[in-house]
Amino acid sequence: MFASIAKPFVTRTAFAATRVGGKKHFSSSSAARISLALTPEQLELQELSRSFTAKEIIPKAAHHDRTGEYPAEILKKMWDVGLLNTHIPAEYGGLGLGVLDCAIISEELSYGCSGIQTAAEANGLAQAPVILGASDALKKKYLGRMTEEPLMCAYGVTEPIAGSDVAGIATKAEKKGNDWVLNGQKMWITNGGKANWYFVLAKTDASAKPGKAFTGFIVDGNSAGISVGKKEINMGQRCSDTRGISFEDVVVSDANRIGDVGKGFQLAMGAFDITRPLVASAAVGLARRAYDEALKYALERKTMGKPIAEHQAIAFMLADMAIGVEAARGLVYKTSWQIDNGERNTLVASMAKAYASEVANKNAADAVQIFGGNGFNSEYPVEKLMRDAKIFMIYEGTSQIQRLIISRSLIDAAKKGN
């Protein structure tokens, strides 16, 4: 049923990555001027994603949550209809969708299960620094293969002692002839045990400041010296494959270096300008699901002779939940529009990520409260939403890191008189 809807996108020609002012950016076919209305193409993407979620994700989400089973079959079907690897530019066989287009998809997939959505979007995170800084040959080799079969990849930056403190990364890469030798350990790597290749940030100059100390590499998943740790059993998003990855004398060709030596930190941070809006949109999807479940239940459950939705205490909670969803989506759309149109979006991306993640947590908690004792039971969907929501305030930059970025940006602008 999805083939006819997906057809305009499977051609991989409707969208393209373009340049504004000589700078690489992501763009959709929408007009440069902002509009609160989605384009016909975006509405079609939304309907495709929503239909796929209803048929393929929602009925199976509880199973994957209970068992922790990786959603390989769902991800394959997602690839079949064009909902996986949506960032990849058309010249490398992809759809070349804009960030706003991808945000629309992320919200719908996360509505069904944010763990499954995270597994899918982890590909986008790993691909982002490749799209931003890799050579044409590397893009053809590593992005091209993602469009030929349903492969997964992973973003290897976080370490056991270096999460928010990216400058504390200890994994190192030493140059030996035409190769680099990597040693170190990464932690909390999504798709870690499923990746065909990894983006790895490693220290190449121990004496340099963070902005010049790190270099990005593409490391093949089957390289000698890679050890994949156990699947971590997490509080929520349990079907997402999260592991530690160790590198012991892993040899990587200099041809697999992304960009110049010492420019890896900028690449890794630049990727977040693309992916933080998508994490925020996924949080919106979960928040919307929590609201919908709570509203439905509140209209069915009766106390004191009427639906609990008609009690002011519950009605006001529902109102606040709806406000949060709409406001968070507005931030997501703004920051997505900015980067799609060649504007720097770091500030609003952090605002969207911080706010949407907290709305998701509040809505999930309020949904559990509205469900009462039933909300605490795994036979009902909202306790899963509450467990799944917490990670949105942690991964891809904690809420505290987002506030650090926001406050520094505001203070710097004020000092400059902007």
Side-chain angles (χ1 to χ4, degrees), residues 273-293:
D273 287 345
I274 298 165
T275 59
R276 278 180 179 152
L278 304 179
V279 172
S281 66
V284 171
L286 188 150
R288 194 181 104 223
R289 176 72 180 278
Y291 164 74
D292 283 352
E293 294 288 353

Side-chain angles (χ1 to χ4, degrees), residues 155-159 161-171 186 199 201-203 209-211 213-215 264-269 272 276 396-398 401 405:
Y155 181 86
V157 173
T158 300
E159 299 189 359
I161 58 170
S164 296
D165 180 20
V166 178
I169 285 175
T171 297
K186 300 297 181 178
F199 166 78
L201 189 66
K203 185 170 287 187
K209 293 182 179 180
F214 302 100
T215 303
F265 184 83
Q266 291 89 331
L267 271 177
M269 295 303 101
F272 287 141
R276 278 180 179 152
E396 292 209 34
T398 65
I401 288 294
I405 294 169

Side-chain angles (χ1 to χ4, degrees), residues 114-298:
S114 61
I116 294 172
Q117 184 277 333
T118 291
E121 189 49 45
N123 270 17
L125 177 58
Q127 292 160 8
V130 179
I131 293 170
L132 290 173
S135 66
D136 184 63
L138 277 182
K139 291 177 183 177
K140 286 180 179 177
K141 181 177 180 180
Y142 288 98
L143 298 180
R145 70 174 62 168
M146 307 301 287
T147 68
E148 295 166 359
E149 57 181 308
L151 301 173
M152 309 309 290
C153 50
Y155 181 86
V157 173
T158 300
E159 299 189 359
I161 58 170
S164 296
D165 180 20
V166 178
I169 285 175
T171 297
K172 62 181 181 179
E174 296 180 292
K175 185 76 181 293
K176 293 188 177 181
N178 291 324
D179 297 320
W180 294 83
V181 180
L182 271 62
N183 283 281
Q185 184 179 6
K186 300 297 181 178
M187 189 61 195
W188 309 118
I189 306 305
T190 305
N191 288 346
K194 307 295 180 180
N196 178 267
W197 55 268
Y198 302 91
F199 166 78
V200 177
L201 189 66
K203 185 170 287 187
T204 49
D205 187 344
S207 63
K209 293 182 179 180
K212 297 181 179 180
F214 302 100
T215 303
F217 299 91
I218 297 178
V219 182
D220 286 299
N222 61 357
S223 299
I226 292 180
S227 298
V228 177
K230 67 179 179 67
K231 174 181 163 62
E232 298 294 333
I233 308 302
N234 295 324
M235 173 182 175
Q237 299 196 359
R238 290 177 175 172
C239 68
S240 174
D241 189 81
T242 308
R243 301 175 189 252
I245 309 293
S246 297
F247 300 89
E248 185 176 353
D249 293 330
V250 176
V251 178
V252 180
S253 170
D254 187 57
N256 276 33
R257 171 172 47 83
I258 302 176
D260 296 333
V261 174
K263 296 296 184 181
F265 184 83
Q266 291 89 331
L267 271 177
M269 295 303 101
F272 287 141
D273 287 345
I274 298 165
T275 59
R276 278 180 179 152
L278 304 179
V279 172
S281 66
V284 171
L286 188 150
R288 194 181 104 223
R289 176 72 180 278
Y291 164 74
D292 283 352
E293 294 288 353
L295 178 61
K296 179 182 177 183
Y297 185 83

